Structure formats: C-alpha cells, structure tokens
Amino acid sequence: MLAREKADVPFTALAHHIDVDWLREAYRRTRKDGARGIDGQSAEQYEEHLEENLLSLLDRAKSGMYRAPPVRRVHIPKGDGQTRPIGIPTFEDKVLQRAVAMLLGAVYEEEFYDFSYGFRPARSALQACEAFRQTAVRMAGGWVLEVDIRKFFDTLDHEHLRNILCRRVRDGVILRLIGKWLNAGVMEDLILSHPEAGTPQGGVISPLLANIYLHEVLDEWFVHEVLPRLKGRASLVRYADDFAFLFEWKGDAERVFEVLPKRFGKYGLTLHSEKTRLVPFRRPDRGSERPGTFNLLGFTHYWGLSRRGKWVPKAKTAKDRFSRTLRRIVEWCRMHLHDDVETQHRALARKLSGHYAYFGVTSNYRALARLHLEAKRIWKRWLSRRSQKGFVNWRAMGRLLERFPLPKPRIVHQYGT
C-alpha cells in the first residue's frame, strides 16, 4: 500500500480520491438513525435527492465553498454525576466527515500501533481489555499506571493538531475542511460559541483526529523514548483517550508517572490528579504487597482465582457504569410511564441485552444478575405509580414477567479461566 511504502513522505494530493462514488460509500456508512443537527434534516429527507445532494456537496468541498455548520450540543450523564457534552453535526456534515475519515484512515492505519484499539476497523474495547488481561498473565502482573486526561476532547489543541497532521498530510482541500470543522462552533440553547480548543465528541471525524493526536503524544513517545529506557518489561493498552500502562518494575512505573504530566502538558493536555494513580497489580502469589484494582473501559480489573484454582486477572462492571445504567433505566421508565406494557418491555429488554453484549464477560455474572434484579424492581416501582390502586405487588409482577420476561443475564464473551 502507498501509505506503507511512503511512511516518511507527506501526501500532497489526496482529495482527488473523493468523488461521487466515494461520497456515496460514505453516505452508506453513515448512521441513518442518529440525532439531527441544527438544520433538523433527517437521513430520509437527504436521501430524497441523494445524487443531487452528493454532487452539490462534492462541488462545494472541492471548491472551498463548503461551510461547516455548527454542531448542536447536548449533554449526557456521566458516572460521577456530571455530564459529557456531545456535538451533533448535520447529516450532510456527517457524510462529508465520513468521506474524509475514510481517506485519512487509509493513511494512518499503516502507522497506528497494535496496542491502539479505539475506533479502528475490526477492533473493540473488549479486545483492548483482553489484550491487557493476556499481558498481565504473561508478566504475572506488576504495576499499573491508570491515567485520566482531563476533558481531552474539549482541550485538544488545534495548533498542535495541525502541525501533527501536516507531517503526513499536506493536501489543501483536506486540511481546509478539517480546519472548518475545528472552527465551526457549537450551538447550545440558541447560543453560538466558538471554542478555541477541542473537537466535538459525536463528530464523525473526531475519533480519528483524537487517535492521530494521541498517536503522536503518547504512542510514539512510549515506543521510541520510554521503552528503551526501562529496566523491565512494560506494555500500553489504549482505546481513544482511555488507557493504562503495565510495568514489570515499580521503579519504571514511578519514573513514567513522574514525567507523564510534563509530556501531556507539552501538548496542552492536563491529567486528572485524582484519577491518575499508580496501582500495585502483582499476582497475589508473586508479591508481598496486596494487589489493588483499577478501572479501564467501564470495568474494574482485579486478581481472582479461576475455577482451576489459578490466579487470573478478572473484570467486573465498574461502579460508576453500573450506576449510570440504573439511572438511565429509571429515567426511561419515568419518561415512558404511560406507554403500554408491551412497548415498555421491548425497550427494557433491548437495554438489558445491550448491557449484556458489552459487560457479559467471564467473571462478571454477579453484576449482570444484580442489574437484572434491579431492572425488575425499577419497572415494578414505576408500574405501581400508574396503577389505580397505587401498588403492584410482587405476585402481580411475577405474573406480568411470565408474559413479558426480561432477558436473563448471560456471559457473551468467554475468556480463559
């Protein structure tokens, strides 16, 4: 592939790859059921004149006449009680961002390291967790450096990003489009603002830009500057801005812990002092210090005994993620209090099945069973609120659950035990 053959040569001509067929493929890959942007246009409305719209989009993108509309900002709850701002582009903007992301992805996929899992083809967060687990088994654990970047997507420095991009991409059309997206602004409660830093979470191209940024800030630094200076073995697992190190020796971990804030500060990023910490994680029968736990990608990771009596790294749903799921179920039941029971059942079943699909890993059955029980309690409580008698007892609820059973907990992802 050309990107692999010219690893050190910047690309000055890429935009010619984007034609109507390319945009049509980008349209095909764009979610059709996503939230609408500030123009309120749906995918169905855009499709009514698809060919005409794609030809117009292509002409405006290539001629420089395309104007990136502001993203519509909404807030979703986080596990700590705060909210995360999400930027929703217009549907047409999503299509164009997808087209550019497809192009840049072909270039940067040849450079990204195997320990980077976020928003890449055929890679997932669960694969990242399994990679960490396998490394911990091989190394018998060690010291984990758990890292949290404070508001990464909101503080990503535009100037640094442009400089990083220009080392590989110097096509004026592509760089101009990215610049427009970075400066498009945010619309919230009819108020337009233009943040000087950051890239909106929710933007189609934002995950790729984040990967490109952290590839320079973290991945390249770890491979070329950190690893050669260590006394023992070490590994890194990263999913977008969520990552953790595993070091064989405590001294190596402490040295990296000390210099890490300086490294990120150089690129305008700040580490969360309370959430960035060093955790002993040596296998219990190999070290004198009791191993701790740490969170990564929605799981709390810890050492436990397998069915065969061997010490293995295990994972369970992190408390904040469990609480967030319960809050969402409560909120949904509140908003849909007067929906018919069959409709409520379908929605709750989808929510539980979706949770099991991600968190249904070996060693996490207890947390899944607890969620199943809590979901039944929440549903019963909200059904009681609309009952004329004001109360639905468990006998009546049992009869209802026979007709409309909620999906039972199940382990979807089997890991070696």
Side-chain angles (χ1 to χ4, degrees), residues 102-356:
M102 287 161 51
L103 189 61
L104 292 181
V107 174
Y108 282 97
E109 272 300 311
E110 299 301 320
E111 301 189 9
F112 291 155
Y113 292 101
D114 286 342
F115 56 73
S116 171
Y117 288 85
F119 306 104
R120 296 180 58 192
R123 287 172 171 257
S124 69
L126 291 176
Q127 288 177 337
C129 290
E130 175 61 5
F132 176 88
R133 191 190 75 85
Q134 292 179 1
T135 301
V137 169
R138 288 195 302 268
M139 294 173 54
W143 287 81
V144 168
L145 180 51
E146 180 183 2
V147 185
D148 185 273
I149 306 175
R150 188 186 296 272
K151 297 182 177 180
F152 170 70
F153 282 91
D154 296 333
T155 58
L156 186 149
D157 186 271
H158 292 175
E159 188 62 31
H160 282 303
L161 177 59
R162 291 189 188 96
N163 292 336
I164 292 170
L165 283 169
C166 283
R167 293 173 191 166
R168 206 70 176 98
V169 178
R170 295 183 185 173
D171 184 297
V173 173
I174 302 301
L175 293 177
R176 185 165 58 242
L177 285 172
I178 293 175
K180 289 181 178 182
W181 286 319
L182 292 176
N183 297 307
V186 174
M187 182 72 74
E188 184 174 6
D189 297 329
L190 300 180
I191 298 175
L192 178 63
S193 61
H194 291 84
E196 296 181 358
T199 179
Q201 293 189 66
V204 175
I205 202 168
S206 293
L208 177 58
L209 296 180
N211 264 345
I212 293 171
Y213 201 81
L214 287 176
H215 176 74
E216 166 75 18
V217 176
L218 177 63
D219 301 355
E220 291 276 20
W221 175 71
F222 177 72
V223 170
H224 296 293
E225 297 187 38
V226 174
L227 284 178
R229 293 177 169 84
L230 300 181
K231 295 181 179 179
R233 293 175 293 174
S235 68
L236 168 63
V237 170
R238 181 173 71 81
Y239 188 93
D241 62 326
D242 200 350
F243 61 94
F245 300 90
L246 178 62
F247 297 92
E248 184 177 11
W249 300 112
K250 183 178 181 181
D252 289 337
E254 290 174 334
R255 288 167 58 199
V256 174
F257 191 15
E258 182 180 354
V259 301
L260 201 61
K262 300 176 184 177
R263 174 65 183 181
F264 278 79
K266 179 181 176 181
Y267 290 87
L269 300 174
T270 305
L271 301 185
H272 199 297
S273 58
E274 296 179 359
K275 297 181 180 180
T276 300
R277 62 196 185 102
L278 202 56
V279 181
F281 202 70
R282 178 71 64 186
R283 203 171 75 188
D285 61 342
R286 289 291 185 92
S288 58
E289 191 167 4
R290 182 179 180 180
T293 65
F294 70 97
N295 292 338
L296 179 68
L297 296 169
F299 292 94
T300 296
H301 300 265
Y302 64 100
W303 284 98
L305 287 172
S306 71
R307 293 177 180 177
R308 299 176 182 178
K310 297 181 179 180
W311 287 106
V312 294
K314 294 187 175 184
K316 60 184 178 181
T317 310
K319 290 182 180 179
D320 61 339
R321 294 295 292 271
F322 188 90
S323 299
R324 185 195 309 176
T325 300
L326 289 183
R327 283 198 300 270
R328 288 178 175 174
I329 292 175
V330 169
E331 182 64 16
W332 190 93
C333 288
R334 184 183 71 83
M335 296 295 293
H336 297 268
L337 175 63
H338 297 291
D339 289 2
D340 62 83
V341 172
E342 187 174 355
T343 299
Q344 291 184 347
H345 170 258
R346 284 198 302 267
L348 291 173
R350 284 196 301 270
K351 291 180 184 298
L352 287 178
S353 296
H355 186 91
Y356 301 157

Side-chain angles (χ1 to χ4, degrees), residues 382-394:
W382 283 96
L383 287 175
S384 293
R385 294 196 177 193
R386 75 177 193 177
S387 170
Q388 293 181 352
K389 297 181 180 180
F391 180 72
V392 175
N393 60 35
W394 275 110

Side-chain angles (χ1 to χ4, degrees), residues 364-378:
N364 197 33
Y365 186 85
R366 182 177 297 178
L368 302 183
R370 183 184 164 206
L371 179 69
H372 181 258
L373 176 61
E374 292 296 333
K376 290 192 292 186
R377 288 173 174 170
I378 292 169

